[in-house]
Amino acid sequence: MSIHGVLGETTSYPKTYDPSILYPISRQLGRNEIIKDVGFDKVYHGVDMWQAFELSWLSPIGVSQVAMARLFIPADSPNIVESKSLKLYLNSLNFTKFSTADELKATLQKDLSVCVGADVAVEIIGLDGSELNIAKPMGVCIDGALDDVNEELVLTDDIDSSFLKNTKWGKLTTHQFYSNLLRSNCPVTNQPDWGVVQIEMTSDHQVDFGNVLKYILSFRQHNGFHEQCVERIFADMMTYFQPTSLRVLANYTRRGGIDINPVRVFNSEVGQIGRVVRQ
């Protein structure tokens, strides 16, 4: 995967509003890899919800204002926005005057929509808001599923979907489970990205939590953006469990004041995207 521009370079923080900082990356880059590796080429439904905790601008008389923002980027947009460029863009607003928070909101919507090629929804959240309360992940935690296994788990070089093969048939069941152990690497900086992955699916295949955990752990040395990792998990679940409904959500930990929460669904609602304890 080749990505050019200011990514990965030492960059000075802008002091004037500059929407040209926003750097789009085609979603098709990651999806082509999934098609190659998994053969899954279906349309993705869902949203990427970004939470920005370092939003600041100036009042008309030059007083600093602070708030938080939620950005909702549809999964069918042709592009994602590179996270470092979003941080720099948000910093470019720090010394820009807006008459109201609604004016700021309109500016964010316009600039981000242009970058990703689709309509982006924006929420501005004040410091006294209750929208960002901590929520518990859905279902059961599978992180202890290997506690009774004596065989050492080999650290794989990349994603190993073989752990999901040869699932046994069973009765149609709805499963809700999550893991706190999702780890991957940024393909630009190679920095680790940690997340909580939550999966809800209805399938007539039995779910072996130990094998699913091994699969999640196989992401530990994978280079991929947050959105692409979630889409790979979604594609593998669709391929190996053939669910009648599926929802995959990952709540990634914050970097640079921003966290990313992609969710992909099949015959399911996007639903609430809560903020988990490590965010």
Side-chain angles (χ1 to χ4, degrees):
M1 182 184 300
S2 178
I3 301 170
H4 304 284
V6 300
L7 313 188
E9 299 178 4
T10 300
T11 307
S12 60
Y13 287 94
K15 295 183 179 179
T16 56
Y17 165 61
D18 185 3
S20 69
I21 293 172
L22 292 169
Y23 190 89
I25 298 173
S26 172
R27 289 192 188 273
Q28 205 56 46
L29 286 172
R31 289 174 181 172
N32 285 341
E33 292 183 1
I34 292 174
I35 293 171
K36 177 183 176 182
D37 293 342
V38 185
F40 185 88
D41 60 354
K42 306 295 190 298
V43 176
Y44 290 94
H45 299 283
V47 68
D48 304 325
M49 190 269 281
W50 298 54
Q51 298 182 131
F53 289 81
E54 298 177 3
L55 181 66
S56 181
W57 68 101
L58 297 181
S59 72
I61 62 170
V63 177
S64 293
Q65 308 293 298
V66 293
M68 295 164 287
R70 274 182 166 170
L71 318 173
F72 297 86
I73 303 174
D76 60 359
S77 65
N79 304 315
I80 61 175
V81 57
E82 196 277 326
S83 58
K84 180 179 178 180
S85 75
L86 177 62
K87 178 182 179 180
L88 293 173
Y89 164 75
L90 294 177
N91 273 272
S92 82
L93 301 170
N94 289 175
F95 306 109
T96 303
K97 293 180 180 179
F98 292 94
S99 58
T100 64
D102 283 341
E103 182 185 354
L104 169 66
K105 175 180 174 179
T107 299
L108 292 170
Q109 288 177 325
K110 173 178 64 69
D111 294 341
L112 290 167
S113 296
V114 169
C115 178
V116 303
D119 290 337
V120 174
V122 176
E123 295 177 357
I124 305 295
I125 301 172
L127 301 189
D128 57 349
S130 60
E131 296 92 335
L132 296 179
N133 290 338
I134 301 299
K136 189 179 186 305
M138 62 181 184
V140 298
C141 180
I142 67 171
D143 293 346
L146 299 174
D147 287 353
D148 296 328
V149 175
N150 294 321
E151 183 179 354
E152 182 177 354
L153 183 64
V154 177
L155 183 63
T156 58
D157 293 332
D158 209 335
I159 302 169
D160 187 352
S161 59
S162 68
F163 293 119
L164 304 179
K165 292 181 178 179
N166 303 317
T167 57
K168 297 180 180 179
W169 292 89
K171 65 179 182 178
L172 193 66
T173 305
T174 297
H175 307 271
Q176 287 185 324
F177 56 92
Y178 69 93
S179 172
N180 299 294
L181 305 182
L182 178 62
R183 182 199 188 275
S184 55
N185 297 318
C186 172
V188 176
T189 65
N190 207 39
Q191 289 180 303
D193 294 318
W194 284 95
V196 178
V197 58
Q198 307 181 53
I199 299 173
E200 179 177 11
M201 69 176 172
T202 300
S203 173
D204 53 12
H205 289 248
Q206 295 180 13
V207 177
D208 183 320
F209 287 155
N211 284 335
V212 173
L213 182 58
K214 291 177 184 178
Y215 165 73
I216 292 171
L217 292 172
S218 75
F219 278 78
R220 289 183 287 189
Q221 299 195 86
H222 174 68
N223 290 328
F225 293 111
H226 304 68
E227 301 90 341
Q228 296 164 353
C229 290
V230 169
E231 292 188 351
R232 174 61 189 267
I233 295 171
F234 183 88
D236 281 331
M237 293 293 156
M238 289 291 295
T239 299
Y240 294 106
F241 291 96
Q242 301 176 19
T244 58
S245 66
L246 175 64
R247 180 177 185 261
V248 178
L249 162 65
N251 300 88
Y252 279 91
T253 56
R254 200 179 314 165
R255 187 192 296 170
I258 300 169
D259 62 56
I260 306 173
N261 308 267
V263 57
R264 298 293 180 269
V265 296
F266 168 71
N267 284 343
S268 179
E269 300 295 326
V270 169
Q272 294 294 317
I273 307 173
R275 174 188 174 198
V276 297
V277 66
R278 285 193 292 167
Q279 295 179 314

